[in-house]
Amino acid sequence: MTEAEALYDVGAPEPKPIDEELSVKLGHLAEDAILRGKPNGDERCDNCLYYLDTDKDISYCWHPKLRILVGGPWWCQWWEEIPEED
């Protein structure tokens, strides 16, 4: 190993305790929300009222019980249709 390689060698990646904690916390949140990584028929996060930026593949869900980043094709039990503008 060269000196430059040794300088940048940080070893194999290992999850930290915070990663384990967040994994459990977010896992419970996904279970409670019945959050799925695929649509439920025509219902998808990117056509839900709570999907903040419908032009992006991943956006913030601002539903009060979720408030996390979600993927466009995902779905949860709190999906709500976007009201039509008059």
Side-chain angles (χ1 to χ4, degrees), residues 21-36:
E21 293 170 27
L22 287 172
S23 176
V24 170
K25 181 179 178 182
L26 292 172
H28 290 305
L29 180 64
E31 287 175 14
D32 292 345
I34 310 176
L35 181 61
R36 302 290 180 255

Side-chain angles (χ1 to χ4, degrees), residues 9-78:
D9 183 21
V10 294
E14 292 279 335
K16 305 289 186 228
I18 186 68
D19 299 314
E20 300 286 341
E21 293 170 27
L22 287 172
S23 176
V24 170
K25 181 179 178 182
L26 292 172
H28 290 305
L29 180 64
E31 287 175 14
D32 292 345
I34 310 176
L35 181 61
R36 302 290 180 255
K38 58 185 177 184
N40 184 26
D42 292 334
E43 297 176 1
R44 327 163 22 107
C45 288
D46 62 5
N47 67 11
C48 175
L49 173 66
Y50 299 105
Y51 195 77
L52 193 60
D53 190 344
T54 57
D55 293 332
K56 296 190 176 182
D57 294 336
I58 295 175
S59 186
Y60 182 73
C61 171
W62 56 274
H63 189 280
K65 294 190 179 201
L66 216 50
R67 292 192 168 119
I68 61 171
L69 286 175
V70 295
W74 296 11
W75 173 88
C76 87
Q77 68 178 349
W78 296 302

Side-chain angles (χ1 to χ4, degrees), residues 1-10:
M1 181 180 294
T2 69
E3 186 176 327
E5 290 172 330
L7 179 64
Y8 293 105
D9 183 21
V10 294

